[in-house]
């Protein structure tokens, strides 16, 4: 497994990023991390709809979100905006999701998620997208760094940082708590998922990363999940879920790496 990526000089110059930790499970608004941002639909006046984060890759151009966030965007131009806040909406610029020769966005979602839908395939609610450089020609990972994708980690972790962008807030939200394993007993939504209790994660936070070993200096860590999966992230704003990052997610990432490298 590759080592954790070194932060870019541009990202390092703004560290440290993390506020004083609140109590376990207490969400708090903060200034954000360069490696995490909002997905933006450039249509009409524009709108933010989900959270995403940069995942380290050889081509330095991949972002990670939930599959339910990125289904069916063929008719829209979508972009990633790292470390968005209302006060500074594009501190690193805007990184558009690229399109292939047929005009389709370069997004990798497990085909079973597309065919079976968000309930039956809830355990596969993960997506990777290839983004182009910003207006200055800088690749996203060069601009802000990247989290290391970790698959096969234990469900139970003692300290996980959850980051997401509630749709109506001016800044992102951070929470630290333990994770546990949740196994569905509903045959219509099969699978086991990461579960975390963190207050204040409503709509818009889908796709936000579950991070292990978050470094307060570099602002990067090991990503082991994204908000989604069980009922696309949770029934309430105070408990969130993720599809488990196992062999299927590793395979999907490898397909994305191969495709983005060729693109």
């Amino acid at each position: 497994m590759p080592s954790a990526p070194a932060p870019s000089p541009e990202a390092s110059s703004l560290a440290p990023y993390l506020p004083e930790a609140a109590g376990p499970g207490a969400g708090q608004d903060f200034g954000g991390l360069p490696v995490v941002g909002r997905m933006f639909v450039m249509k009409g006046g524009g709108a933010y709809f989900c959270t995403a984060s940069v995942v380290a890759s050889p081509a330095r151009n991949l972002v990670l979100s939930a599959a339910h966030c990125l289904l069916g965007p063929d008719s829209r131009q979508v972009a990633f905006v790292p470390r968005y806040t209302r006060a500074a909406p594009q501190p690193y610029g805007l990184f558009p999701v690229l399109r292939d020769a047929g005009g389709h966005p370069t997004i990798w979602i497990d085909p079973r998620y597309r065919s079976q839908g968000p309930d039956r395939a809830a355990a596969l609610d993960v997506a990777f997208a290839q983004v182009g450089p910003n207006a200055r020609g800088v690749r996203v990972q060069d601009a802000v760094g990247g989290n290391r994708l970790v698959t096969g980690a234990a469900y139970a972790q003692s300290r996980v940082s959850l980051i997401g962008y509630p749709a109506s807030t001016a800044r992102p939200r951070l929470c630290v708590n333990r994770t546990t394993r949740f196994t569905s007993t509903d045959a219509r939504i099969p699978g086991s998922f990461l579960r975390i209790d963190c207050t204040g994660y409503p709509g818009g936070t889908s796709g936000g990363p579950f991070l292990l070993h978050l470094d307060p200096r570099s602002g990067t860590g090991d990503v082991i999940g994204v908000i989604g999966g069980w009922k696309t992230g949770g029934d309430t704003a105070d408990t969130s879920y993720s599809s488990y990052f196992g062999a299927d997610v590793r395979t999907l990432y490898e397909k994305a790496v191969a495709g983005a490298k060729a693109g």
Side-chain angles (χ1 to χ4, degrees):
M1 186 173 293
S3 61
S8 68
E10 184 174 352
S12 294
S13 66
L14 297 176
Y17 300 107
L18 302 180
E20 290 294 325
Q28 59 180 322
D29 294 344
F30 78 123
L33 298 179
V35 78
V36 183
R38 276 181 155 169
M39 296 301 287
F40 180 76
V41 181
M42 296 183 292
K43 179 181 179 183
Y48 291 97
F49 63 97
C50 269
T51 303
S53 58
V54 183
V55 60
S57 68
R60 307 180 72 82
N61 61 1
L62 287 181
V63 298
L64 167 67
S65 190
H68 75 265
C69 290
L70 294 174
L71 283 175
D74 292 9
S75 63
R76 304 175 298 181
Q77 179 62 53
V78 180
F80 173 65
V81 183
R83 205 187 184 192
Y84 167 90
T85 64
R86 192 172 298 162
Q90 291 187 24
Y92 299 95
L94 182 148
F95 298 83
V97 173
L98 296 181
R99 292 173 177 267
D100 62 21
H104 303 104
T106 50
I107 294 169
W108 289 267
I109 294 172
D110 192 297
R112 290 169 291 179
Y113 193 86
R114 294 184 184 277
S115 63
Q116 297 175 20
D119 285 343
R120 188 68 186 167
L124 302 169
D125 193 1
V126 180
F128 297 93
Q130 179 184 5
V131 297
N134 63 15
R136 294 189 294 141
V138 180
R139 294 176 297 182
V140 69
Q141 192 177 325
D142 292 329
V144 302
N147 294 316
R148 183 178 68 148
L149 180 74
V150 171
T151 55
Y155 286 88
Q157 300 287 343
S158 62
R159 183 178 176 85
V160 172
S161 299
L162 186 68
I163 301 170
Y165 277 86
S168 61
T169 62
R171 301 194 299 165
R173 198 156 180 84
L174 169 69
C175 170
V176 179
N177 206 354
R178 66 188 182 96
T179 57
T180 57
R181 180 173 184 163
F182 169 77
T183 299
S184 170
T185 57
D186 186 338
R188 299 167 300 174
I189 314 175
S192 292
F193 306 87
L194 290 180
R195 181 186 188 274
I196 190 168
D197 292 325
C198 276
T199 58
Y201 285 76
T205 59
S206 287
F210 286 59
L211 296 175
L212 278 179
H213 310 130
L214 179 55
D215 185 335
R217 300 296 302 176
S218 71
T220 63
D222 296 342
V223 59
I224 62 168
V226 295
I227 297 176
W230 172 256
K231 298 187 179 179
T232 62
D235 288 329
T236 74
D238 296 338
T239 300
S240 297
Y241 299 85
S242 170
S243 302
Y244 178 70
F245 278 20
D248 288 327
V249 172
R250 175 60 58 179
T251 297
L252 188 66
Y253 170 75
E254 290 171 354
K255 289 180 179 178
V257 164
K261 190 173 183 180

